[in-house]
Amino acid sequence: MTGERERAAALVMACRHLPTPFLSAPGQRKGMLIEAASSLEKIGDKRSLQDCQNLLLQLGSVTGVSES
């Protein structure tokens, strides 16, 4: 699990700060956040996981995608 936390943090930061043209493929931002959340859950980082889940919720409300 070496580097899992760093990779997850990098994915979250990329989703948070990169402009839309850099992540233009449909669902790319969401996929990155889901991958980060999975890693954070695996390593037990509840605080960062909650932050990641909040970003996913914001993304859903911004894009109009409903989460089920």
Side-chain angles (χ1 to χ4, degrees), residues 18-25 28-29:
L18 285 176
T20 302
F22 286 102
L23 300 171
S24 59
Q28 187 174 9
R29 200 174 292 265

Side-chain angles (χ1 to χ4, degrees), residues 8-9 11-17 29-30 33-34 36 48-62 67:
L11 288 169
V12 170
M13 287 177 57
C15 289
R16 185 177 277 152
H17 298 291
R29 200 174 292 265
K30 182 179 178 181
L33 287 171
I34 290 171
S48 295
L49 176 59
Q50 183 65 43
D51 185 39
C52 187
Q53 290 172 336
N54 287 338
L55 283 172
L56 274 167
L57 288 173
Q58 288 174 3
L59 181 64
S61 67
V62 169
E67 300 293 323

